[in-house]
PDB file of all heavy atoms in Angstrom:
ATOM      1  N   TYR S 768       9.395  21.971  11.279  1.00 62.00           N
ATOM      2  CA  TYR S 768       9.232  22.332  12.810  1.00 62.00           C
ATOM      3  C   TYR S 768       8.768  21.210  13.575  1.00 62.00           C
ATOM      4  O   TYR S 768       7.737  20.639  13.288  1.00 62.00           O
ATOM      5  CB  TYR S 768       8.268  23.520  12.879  1.00 62.00           C
ATOM      6  CG  TYR S 768       8.390  24.366  14.121  1.00 62.00           C
ATOM      7  CD1 TYR S 768       9.322  25.391  14.173  1.00 62.00           C
ATOM      8  CD2 TYR S 768       7.611  24.064  15.266  1.00 62.00           C
ATOM      9  CE1 TYR S 768       9.400  26.152  15.293  1.00 62.00           C
ATOM     10  CE2 TYR S 768       7.707  24.809  16.409  1.00 62.00           C
ATOM     11  CZ  TYR S 768       8.657  25.894  16.413  1.00 62.00           C
ATOM     12  OH  TYR S 768       8.747  26.677  17.557  1.00 62.00           O
ATOM     13  N   SER S 769       9.568  20.758  14.533  1.00 55.00           N
ATOM     14  CA  SER S 769       9.173  19.571  15.416  1.00 55.00           C
ATOM     15  C   SER S 769       8.105  20.003  16.326  1.00 55.00           C
ATOM     16  O   SER S 769       7.982  21.109  16.758  1.00 55.00           O
ATOM     17  CB  SER S 769      10.419  19.129  16.203  1.00 55.00           C
ATOM     18  OG  SER S 769      11.450  18.819  15.332  1.00 55.00           O
ATOM     19  N   GLN S 770       7.250  18.973  16.639  1.00 52.00           N
ATOM     20  CA  GLN S 770       6.159  19.316  17.584  1.00 52.00           C
ATOM     21  C   GLN S 770       5.614  18.118  18.296  1.00 52.00           C
ATOM     22  O   GLN S 770       5.450  17.123  17.695  1.00 52.00           O
ATOM     23  CB  GLN S 770       4.927  20.021  16.832  1.00 52.00           C
ATOM     24  CG  GLN S 770       4.565  19.433  15.576  1.00 52.00           C
ATOM     25  CD  GLN S 770       3.495  20.263  14.848  1.00 52.00           C
ATOM     26  OE1 GLN S 770       2.601  20.778  15.476  1.00 52.00           O
ATOM     27  NE2 GLN S 770       3.604  20.348  13.565  1.00 52.00           N
ATOM     28  N   GLY S 771       5.487  18.160  19.588  1.00 45.00           N
ATOM     29  CA  GLY S 771       4.907  17.165  20.432  1.00 45.00           C
ATOM     30  C   GLY S 771       5.597  15.785  20.307  1.00 45.00           C
ATOM     31  O   GLY S 771       6.768  15.698  20.301  1.00 45.00           O
ATOM     32  N   ALA S 772       4.790  14.737  20.177  1.00 44.00           N
ATOM     33  CA  ALA S 772       5.255  13.382  20.180  1.00 44.00           C
ATOM     34  C   ALA S 772       6.121  13.051  18.964  1.00 44.00           C
ATOM     35  O   ALA S 772       6.815  12.065  18.881  1.00 44.00           O
ATOM     36  CB  ALA S 772       4.051  12.411  20.349  1.00 44.00           C
ATOM     37  N   LEU S 773       5.967  13.868  17.901  1.00 52.00           N
ATOM     38  CA  LEU S 773       6.707  13.618  16.691  1.00 52.00           C
ATOM     39  C   LEU S 773       8.186  14.134  16.731  1.00 52.00           C
ATOM     40  O   LEU S 773       8.842  13.938  15.775  1.00 52.00           O
ATOM     41  CB  LEU S 773       6.000  14.216  15.506  1.00 52.00           C
ATOM     42  CG  LEU S 773       4.547  13.591  15.167  1.00 52.00           C
ATOM     43  CD1 LEU S 773       3.915  14.342  14.048  1.00 52.00           C
ATOM     44  CD2 LEU S 773       4.735  12.140  14.852  1.00 52.00           C
ATOM     45  N   ASP S 774       8.488  14.812  17.810  1.00 66.00           N
ATOM     46  CA  ASP S 774       9.813  15.469  17.853  1.00 66.00           C
ATOM     47  C   ASP S 774      10.972  14.577  17.409  1.00 66.00           C
ATOM     48  O   ASP S 774      11.792  14.836  16.605  1.00 66.00           O
ATOM     49  CB  ASP S 774      10.091  16.044  19.277  1.00 66.00           C
ATOM     50  CG  ASP S 774       9.330  17.397  19.378  1.00 66.00           C
ATOM     51  OD1 ASP S 774       8.679  17.775  18.472  1.00 66.00           O
ATOM     52  OD2 ASP S 774       9.419  18.012  20.515  1.00 66.00           O
ATOM     53  N   ILE S 775      11.047  13.351  18.136  1.00 68.00           N
ATOM     54  CA  ILE S 775      12.240  12.484  17.889  1.00 68.00           C
ATOM     55  C   ILE S 775      12.226  11.948  16.475  1.00 68.00           C
ATOM     56  O   ILE S 775      13.249  11.918  15.812  1.00 68.00           O
ATOM     57  CB  ILE S 775      12.177  11.295  18.937  1.00 68.00           C
ATOM     58  CG1 ILE S 775      12.313  11.781  20.332  1.00 68.00           C
ATOM     59  CG2 ILE S 775      13.181  10.259  18.583  1.00 68.00           C
ATOM     60  CD1 ILE S 775      12.183  10.715  21.360  1.00 68.00           C
ATOM     61  N   PHE S 776      11.040  11.545  15.931  1.00 68.00           N
ATOM     62  CA  PHE S 776      10.910  11.037  14.605  1.00 68.00           C
ATOM     63  C   PHE S 776      11.381  12.069  13.594  1.00 68.00           C
ATOM     64  O   PHE S 776      12.185  11.758  12.703  1.00 68.00           O
ATOM     65  CB  PHE S 776       9.524  10.554  14.332  1.00 68.00           C
ATOM     66  CG  PHE S 776       9.320  10.165  12.955  1.00 68.00           C
ATOM     67  CD1 PHE S 776       9.808   8.978  12.449  1.00 68.00           C
ATOM     68  CD2 PHE S 776       8.538  11.004  12.075  1.00 68.00           C
ATOM     69  CE1 PHE S 776       9.587   8.714  11.114  1.00 68.00           C
ATOM     70  CE2 PHE S 776       8.337  10.631  10.763  1.00 68.00           C
ATOM     71  CZ  PHE S 776       8.865   9.419  10.268  1.00 68.00           C
ATOM     72  N   ILE S 777      10.814  13.323  13.741  1.00 69.00           N
ATOM     73  CA  ILE S 777      11.132  14.388  12.803  1.00 69.00           C
ATOM     74  C   ILE S 777      12.605  14.742  12.843  1.00 69.00           C
ATOM     75  O   ILE S 777      13.280  14.929  11.764  1.00 69.00           O
ATOM     76  CB  ILE S 777      10.229  15.626  13.108  1.00 69.00           C
ATOM     77  CG1 ILE S 777       8.855  15.318  12.724  1.00 69.00           C
ATOM     78  CG2 ILE S 777      10.768  16.842  12.313  1.00 69.00           C
ATOM     79  CD1 ILE S 777       7.805  16.422  13.028  1.00 69.00           C
ATOM     80  N   GLU S 778      13.171  14.810  14.074  1.00 68.00           N
ATOM     81  CA  GLU S 778      14.569  15.204  14.199  1.00 68.00           C
ATOM     82  C   GLU S 778      15.436  14.103  13.583  1.00 68.00           C
ATOM     83  O   GLU S 778      16.540  14.400  13.037  1.00 68.00           O
ATOM     84  CB  GLU S 778      14.920  15.478  15.606  1.00 68.00           C
ATOM     85  CG  GLU S 778      14.422  16.731  16.243  1.00 68.00           C
ATOM     86  CD  GLU S 778      14.782  17.915  15.407  1.00 68.00           C
ATOM     87  OE1 GLU S 778      15.925  17.965  14.833  1.00 68.00           O
ATOM     88  OE2 GLU S 778      14.013  18.919  15.320  1.00 68.00           O
ATOM     89  N   THR S 779      15.014  12.874  13.744  1.00 70.00           N
ATOM     90  CA  THR S 779      15.833  11.767  13.094  1.00 70.00           C
ATOM     91  C   THR S 779      15.818  11.888  11.591  1.00 70.00           C
ATOM     92  O   THR S 779      16.860  11.720  10.940  1.00 70.00           O
ATOM     93  CB  THR S 779      15.219  10.422  13.503  1.00 70.00           C
ATOM     94  OG1 THR S 779      15.250  10.292  14.934  1.00 70.00           O
ATOM     95  CG2 THR S 779      16.029   9.290  12.915  1.00 70.00           C
ATOM     96  N   ILE S 780      14.662  12.115  11.003  1.00 71.00           N
ATOM     97  CA  ILE S 780      14.620  12.302   9.590  1.00 71.00           C
ATOM     98  C   ILE S 780      15.387  13.567   9.168  1.00 71.00           C
ATOM     99  O   ILE S 780      16.176  13.477   8.113  1.00 71.00           O
ATOM    100  CB  ILE S 780      13.118  12.538   9.149  1.00 71.00           C
ATOM    101  CG1 ILE S 780      12.296  11.231   9.464  1.00 71.00           C
ATOM    102  CG2 ILE S 780      13.075  12.799   7.626  1.00 71.00           C
ATOM    103  CD1 ILE S 780      12.753   9.992   8.745  1.00 71.00           C
ATOM    104  N   ASN S 781      15.320  14.610   9.910  1.00 68.00           N
ATOM    105  CA  ASN S 781      16.069  15.823   9.586  1.00 68.00           C
ATOM    106  C   ASN S 781      17.591  15.554   9.574  1.00 68.00           C
ATOM    107  O   ASN S 781      18.323  16.049   8.815  1.00 68.00           O
ATOM    108  CB  ASN S 781      15.743  16.976  10.497  1.00 68.00           C
ATOM    109  CG  ASN S 781      14.358  17.634  10.233  1.00 68.00           C
ATOM    110  OD1 ASN S 781      14.049  17.693   9.070  1.00 68.00           O
ATOM    111  ND2 ASN S 781      13.759  18.185  11.183  1.00 68.00           N
ATOM    112  N   ALA S 782      17.984  14.711  10.594  1.00 70.00           N
ATOM    113  CA  ALA S 782      19.434  14.441  10.731  1.00 70.00           C
ATOM    114  C   ALA S 782      19.931  13.645   9.588  1.00 70.00           C
ATOM    115  O   ALA S 782      21.028  13.821   9.043  1.00 70.00           O
ATOM    116  CB  ALA S 782      19.715  13.717  12.087  1.00 70.00           C
ATOM    117  N   LEU S 783      19.175  12.548   9.218  1.00 70.00           N
ATOM    118  CA  LEU S 783      19.614  11.666   8.154  1.00 70.00           C
ATOM    119  C   LEU S 783      19.562  12.300   6.787  1.00 70.00           C
ATOM    120  O   LEU S 783      20.465  12.083   5.956  1.00 70.00           O
ATOM    121  CB  LEU S 783      18.740  10.403   8.174  1.00 70.00           C
ATOM    122  CG  LEU S 783      18.970   9.395   9.300  1.00 70.00           C
ATOM    123  CD1 LEU S 783      17.997   8.342   9.293  1.00 70.00           C
ATOM    124  CD2 LEU S 783      20.434   8.817   9.150  1.00 70.00           C
ATOM    125  N   PHE S 784      18.535  13.141   6.488  1.00 73.00           N
ATOM    126  CA  PHE S 784      18.291  13.582   5.110  1.00 73.00           C
ATOM    127  C   PHE S 784      18.323  15.084   4.974  1.00 73.00           C
ATOM    128  O   PHE S 784      18.103  15.623   3.889  1.00 73.00           O
ATOM    129  CB  PHE S 784      16.966  13.048   4.584  1.00 73.00           C
ATOM    130  CG  PHE S 784      16.901  11.540   4.712  1.00 73.00           C
ATOM    131  CD1 PHE S 784      16.033  10.960   5.650  1.00 73.00           C
ATOM    132  CD2 PHE S 784      17.641  10.712   3.877  1.00 73.00           C
ATOM    133  CE1 PHE S 784      15.976   9.574   5.731  1.00 73.00           C
ATOM    134  CE2 PHE S 784      17.564   9.361   3.932  1.00 73.00           C
ATOM    135  CZ  PHE S 784      16.678   8.739   4.893  1.00 73.00           C
ATOM    136  N   LEU S 785      18.621  15.802   6.009  1.00 76.00           N
ATOM    137  CA  LEU S 785      18.770  17.300   6.053  1.00 76.00           C
ATOM    138  C   LEU S 785      17.362  17.884   5.410  1.00 76.00           C
ATOM    139  O   LEU S 785      17.501  18.888   4.658  1.00 76.00           O
ATOM    140  CB  LEU S 785      19.937  17.765   5.322  1.00 76.00           C
ATOM    141  CG  LEU S 785      21.296  17.322   5.790  1.00 76.00           C
ATOM    142  CD1 LEU S 785      22.428  18.004   5.011  1.00 76.00           C
ATOM    143  CD2 LEU S 785      21.445  17.761   7.289  1.00 76.00           C
ATOM    144  N   THR S 786      16.329  17.306   5.768  1.00 77.00           N
ATOM    145  CA  THR S 786      15.001  17.785   5.146  1.00 77.00           C
ATOM    146  C   THR S 786      14.720  19.208   5.477  1.00 77.00           C
ATOM    147  O   THR S 786      14.109  19.874   4.757  1.00 77.00           O
ATOM    148  CB  THR S 786      13.864  16.836   5.632  1.00 77.00           C
ATOM    149  OG1 THR S 786      13.910  16.703   7.010  1.00 77.00           O
ATOM    150  CG2 THR S 786      14.039  15.482   5.010  1.00 77.00           C
ATOM    151  N   ARG S 787      15.109  19.655   6.753  1.00 78.00           N
ATOM    152  CA  ARG S 787      14.759  20.964   7.104  1.00 78.00           C
ATOM    153  C   ARG S 787      15.377  21.985   6.291  1.00 78.00           C
ATOM    154  O   ARG S 787      14.677  22.866   5.719  1.00 78.00           O
ATOM    155  CB  ARG S 787      15.085  21.194   8.621  1.00 78.00           C
ATOM    156  CG  ARG S 787      14.759  22.619   9.106  1.00 78.00           C
ATOM    157  CD  ARG S 787      15.244  22.841  10.543  1.00 78.00           C
ATOM    158  NE  ARG S 787      14.370  22.190  11.481  1.00 78.00           N
ATOM    159  CZ  ARG S 787      14.866  21.227  12.309  1.00 78.00           C
ATOM    160  NH1 ARG S 787      16.097  20.812  12.344  1.00 78.00           N
ATOM    161  NH2 ARG S 787      14.038  20.664  13.215  1.00 78.00           N
ATOM    162  N   ILE S 788      16.632  22.020   6.155  1.00 78.00           N
ATOM    163  CA  ILE S 788      17.332  23.046   5.366  1.00 78.00           C
ATOM    164  C   ILE S 788      17.071  22.928   3.938  1.00 78.00           C
ATOM    165  O   ILE S 788      16.940  23.879   3.194  1.00 78.00           O
ATOM    166  CB  ILE S 788      18.889  23.003   5.687  1.00 78.00           C
ATOM    167  CG1 ILE S 788      19.576  24.236   5.081  1.00 78.00           C
ATOM    168  CG2 ILE S 788      19.551  21.765   5.134  1.00 78.00           C
ATOM    169  CD1 ILE S 788      19.213  25.550   5.806  1.00 78.00           C
ATOM    170  N   ARG S 789      16.975  21.659   3.415  1.00 80.00           N
ATOM    171  CA  ARG S 789      16.610  21.455   1.983  1.00 80.00           C
ATOM    172  C   ARG S 789      15.204  21.966   1.621  1.00 80.00           C
ATOM    173  O   ARG S 789      15.045  22.559   0.620  1.00 80.00           O
ATOM    174  CB  ARG S 789      16.789  19.979   1.612  1.00 80.00           C
ATOM    175  CG  ARG S 789      18.212  19.453   1.621  1.00 80.00           C
ATOM    176  CD  ARG S 789      18.364  17.983   1.585  1.00 80.00           C
ATOM    177  NE  ARG S 789      17.707  17.417   0.376  1.00 80.00           N
ATOM    178  CZ  ARG S 789      16.833  16.425   0.395  1.00 80.00           C
ATOM    179  NH1 ARG S 789      16.519  15.892   1.576  1.00 80.00           N
ATOM    180  NH2 ARG S 789      16.281  16.059  -0.750  1.00 80.00           N
ATOM    181  N   SER S 790      14.266  21.636   2.549  1.00 81.00           N
ATOM    182  CA  SER S 790      12.912  22.144   2.369  1.00 81.00           C
ATOM    183  C   SER S 790      12.879  23.667   2.432  1.00 81.00           C
ATOM    184  O   SER S 790      12.195  24.335   1.661  1.00 81.00           O
ATOM    185  CB  SER S 790      12.001  21.602   3.401  1.00 81.00           C
ATOM    186  OG  SER S 790      11.833  20.192   3.315  1.00 81.00           O
ATOM    187  N   TYR S 791      13.695  24.214   3.296  1.00 83.00           N
ATOM    188  CA  TYR S 791      13.727  25.666   3.435  1.00 83.00           C
ATOM    189  C   TYR S 791      14.130  26.324   2.166  1.00 83.00           C
ATOM    190  O   TYR S 791      13.432  27.256   1.663  1.00 83.00           O
ATOM    191  CB  TYR S 791      14.628  26.059   4.594  1.00 83.00           C
ATOM    192  CG  TYR S 791      14.960  27.565   4.632  1.00 83.00           C
ATOM    193  CD1 TYR S 791      13.994  28.435   5.085  1.00 83.00           C
ATOM    194  CD2 TYR S 791      16.239  28.035   4.196  1.00 83.00           C
ATOM    195  CE1 TYR S 791      14.401  29.871   5.152  1.00 83.00           C
ATOM    196  CE2 TYR S 791      16.491  29.380   4.254  1.00 83.00           C
ATOM    197  CZ  TYR S 791      15.556  30.303   4.671  1.00 83.00           C
ATOM    198  OH  TYR S 791      15.873  31.661   4.665  1.00 83.00           O
ATOM    199  N   TYR S 792      15.267  25.835   1.552  1.00 84.00           N
ATOM    200  CA  TYR S 792      15.687  26.535   0.367  1.00 84.00           C
ATOM    201  C   TYR S 792      14.787  26.299  -0.821  1.00 84.00           C
ATOM    202  O   TYR S 792      14.514  27.153  -1.703  1.00 84.00           O
ATOM    203  CB  TYR S 792      17.130  25.942   0.007  1.00 84.00           C
ATOM    204  CG  TYR S 792      18.199  26.669   0.739  1.00 84.00           C
ATOM    205  CD1 TYR S 792      19.078  25.936   1.577  1.00 84.00           C
ATOM    206  CD2 TYR S 792      18.322  28.003   0.831  1.00 84.00           C
ATOM    207  CE1 TYR S 792      20.068  26.512   2.315  1.00 84.00           C
ATOM    208  CE2 TYR S 792      19.339  28.693   1.525  1.00 84.00           C
ATOM    209  CZ  TYR S 792      20.182  27.917   2.309  1.00 84.00           C
ATOM    210  OH  TYR S 792      21.177  28.504   3.066  1.00 84.00           O
ATOM    211  N   SER S 793      14.113  25.142  -0.834  1.00 85.00           N
ATOM    212  CA  SER S 793      13.185  24.812  -1.826  1.00 85.00           C
ATOM    213  C   SER S 793      11.922  25.727  -1.713  1.00 85.00           C
ATOM    214  O   SER S 793      11.430  26.299  -2.760  1.00 85.00           O
ATOM    215  CB  SER S 793      12.666  23.392  -1.774  1.00 85.00           C
ATOM    216  OG  SER S 793      11.676  23.089  -2.719  1.00 85.00           O
ATOM    217  N   ILE S 794      11.486  26.047  -0.533  1.00 88.00           N
ATOM    218  CA  ILE S 794      10.329  26.937  -0.275  1.00 88.00           C
ATOM    219  C   ILE S 794      10.701  28.350  -0.656  1.00 88.00           C
ATOM    220  O   ILE S 794       9.921  29.066  -1.267  1.00 88.00           O
ATOM    221  CB  ILE S 794       9.832  26.825   1.187  1.00 88.00           C
ATOM    222  CG1 ILE S 794       9.245  25.478   1.466  1.00 88.00           C
ATOM    223  CG2 ILE S 794       8.872  27.911   1.541  1.00 88.00           C
ATOM    224  CD1 ILE S 794       8.988  25.223   2.920  1.00 88.00           C
ATOM    225  N   ILE S 795      11.878  28.732  -0.303  1.00 88.00           N
ATOM    226  CA  ILE S 795      12.380  30.113  -0.596  1.00 88.00           C
ATOM    227  C   ILE S 795      12.306  30.314  -2.194  1.00 88.00           C
ATOM    228  O   ILE S 795      11.933  31.384  -2.658  1.00 88.00           O
ATOM    229  CB  ILE S 795      13.761  30.367  -0.046  1.00 88.00           C
ATOM    230  CG1 ILE S 795      13.753  30.386   1.450  1.00 88.00           C
ATOM    231  CG2 ILE S 795      14.354  31.695  -0.625  1.00 88.00           C
ATOM    232  CD1 ILE S 795      12.886  31.505   1.999  1.00 88.00           C
ATOM    233  N   ASN S 796      12.819  29.317  -2.849  1.00 88.00           N
ATOM    234  CA  ASN S 796      12.788  29.364  -4.323  1.00 88.00           C
ATOM    235  C   ASN S 796      11.301  29.492  -4.883  1.00 88.00           C
ATOM    236  O   ASN S 796      11.040  30.369  -5.804  1.00 88.00           O
ATOM    237  CB  ASN S 796      13.398  28.098  -4.966  1.00 88.00           C
ATOM    238  CG  ASN S 796      14.902  28.285  -5.142  1.00 88.00           C
ATOM    239  OD1 ASN S 796      15.390  29.378  -5.403  1.00 88.00           O
ATOM    240  ND2 ASN S 796      15.537  27.196  -5.049  1.00 88.00           N
ATOM    241  N   ILE S 797      10.418  28.762  -4.301  1.00 90.00           N
ATOM    242  CA  ILE S 797       8.981  28.861  -4.783  1.00 90.00           C
ATOM    243  C   ILE S 797       8.438  30.243  -4.419  1.00 90.00           C
ATOM    244  O   ILE S 797       7.757  30.898  -5.280  1.00 90.00           O
ATOM    245  CB  ILE S 797       8.153  27.789  -4.049  1.00 90.00           C
ATOM    246  CG1 ILE S 797       8.592  26.387  -4.494  1.00 90.00           C
ATOM    247  CG2 ILE S 797       6.699  28.036  -4.321  1.00 90.00           C
ATOM    248  CD1 ILE S 797       7.899  25.275  -3.674  1.00 90.00           C
ATOM    249  N   ILE S 798       8.771  30.804  -3.250  1.00 90.00           N
ATOM    250  CA  ILE S 798       8.293  32.159  -2.858  1.00 90.00           C
ATOM    251  C   ILE S 798       8.857  33.225  -3.779  1.00 90.00           C
ATOM    252  O   ILE S 798       8.118  34.087  -4.287  1.00 90.00           O
ATOM    253  CB  ILE S 798       8.665  32.497  -1.427  1.00 90.00           C
ATOM    254  CG1 ILE S 798       7.856  31.584  -0.466  1.00 90.00           C
ATOM    255  CG2 ILE S 798       8.406  33.927  -1.133  1.00 90.00           C
ATOM    256  CD1 ILE S 798       8.343  31.743   0.976  1.00 90.00           C
ATOM    257  N   LYS S 799      10.153  33.098  -4.111  1.00 89.00           N
ATOM    258  CA  LYS S 799      10.756  34.124  -4.980  1.00 89.00           C
ATOM    259  C   LYS S 799      10.241  34.117  -6.381  1.00 89.00           C
ATOM    260  O   LYS S 799      10.013  35.174  -7.044  1.00 89.00           O
ATOM    261  CB  LYS S 799      12.248  33.905  -4.991  1.00 89.00           C
ATOM    262  CG  LYS S 799      13.025  34.393  -3.755  1.00 89.00           C
ATOM    263  CD  LYS S 799      14.504  34.392  -3.940  1.00 89.00           C
ATOM    264  CE  LYS S 799      15.236  35.182  -2.895  1.00 89.00           C
ATOM    265  NZ  LYS S 799      16.619  35.259  -3.076  1.00 89.00           N
ATOM    266  N   LYS S 800       9.873  32.951  -6.878  1.00 90.00           N
ATOM    267  CA  LYS S 800       9.315  32.826  -8.188  1.00 90.00           C
ATOM    268  C   LYS S 800       7.877  33.266  -8.277  1.00 90.00           C
ATOM    269  O   LYS S 800       7.407  33.695  -9.380  1.00 90.00           O
ATOM    270  CB  LYS S 800       9.440  31.366  -8.732  1.00 90.00           C
ATOM    271  CG  LYS S 800      10.901  30.922  -9.044  1.00 90.00           C
ATOM    272  CD  LYS S 800      10.861  29.415  -9.414  1.00 90.00           C
ATOM    273  CE  LYS S 800      12.303  28.940  -9.671  1.00 90.00           C
ATOM    274  NZ  LYS S 800      12.323  27.463  -9.914  1.00 90.00           N
ATOM    275  N   ASN S 801       7.190  33.178  -7.188  1.00 92.00           N
ATOM    276  CA  ASN S 801       5.743  33.544  -7.204  1.00 92.00           C
ATOM    277  C   ASN S 801       5.358  34.485  -6.054  1.00 92.00           C
ATOM    278  O   ASN S 801       4.323  34.402  -5.507  1.00 92.00           O
ATOM    279  CB  ASN S 801       4.932  32.189  -7.054  1.00 92.00           C
ATOM    280  CG  ASN S 801       5.286  31.161  -8.032  1.00 92.00           C
ATOM    281  OD1 ASN S 801       4.907  31.153  -9.136  1.00 92.00           O
ATOM    282  ND2 ASN S 801       6.144  30.192  -7.621  1.00 92.00           N
ATOM    283  N   ARG S 802       6.212  35.423  -5.817  1.00 92.00           N
ATOM    284  CA  ARG S 802       6.045  36.335  -4.689  1.00 92.00           C
ATOM    285  C   ARG S 802       4.705  37.125  -4.749  1.00 92.00           C
ATOM    286  O   ARG S 802       3.886  37.071  -3.802  1.00 92.00           O
ATOM    287  CB  ARG S 802       7.190  37.342  -4.605  1.00 92.00           C
ATOM    288  CG  ARG S 802       7.228  38.092  -3.322  1.00 92.00           C
ATOM    289  CD  ARG S 802       8.254  39.249  -3.402  1.00 92.00           C
ATOM    290  NE  ARG S 802       9.547  38.859  -3.780  1.00 92.00           N
ATOM    291  CZ  ARG S 802      10.488  38.457  -2.918  1.00 92.00           C
ATOM    292  NH1 ARG S 802      10.197  38.288  -1.623  1.00 92.00           N
ATOM    293  NH2 ARG S 802      11.703  38.014  -3.363  1.00 92.00           N
TER     294      ARG S 802
END
């Protein structure tokens, strides 16, 4: 989630490495295994 002054930096990282969607699926896996 982007916030404040870090918006541009975070969105750049997300665009280059798809960190948002990859992190999302990784977190969902952790939740499902340890619900």
Side-chain angles (χ1 to χ4, degrees):
Y768 202 86
S769 304
Q770 46 186 319
L773 294 176
D774 280 0
I775 295 176
F776 173 72
I777 290 176
E778 288 305 327
T779 301
I780 297 298
N781 281 330
L783 284 173
F784 305 107
L785 299 183
T786 50
R787 179 183 285 119
I788 192 68
R789 290 168 57 231
S790 296
Y791 169 73
Y792 281 124
S793 177
I794 291 169
I795 293 299
N796 271 328
I797 294 172
I798 291 173
K799 283 190 167 185
K800 289 177 182 176
N801 306 281
R802 192 190 305 273

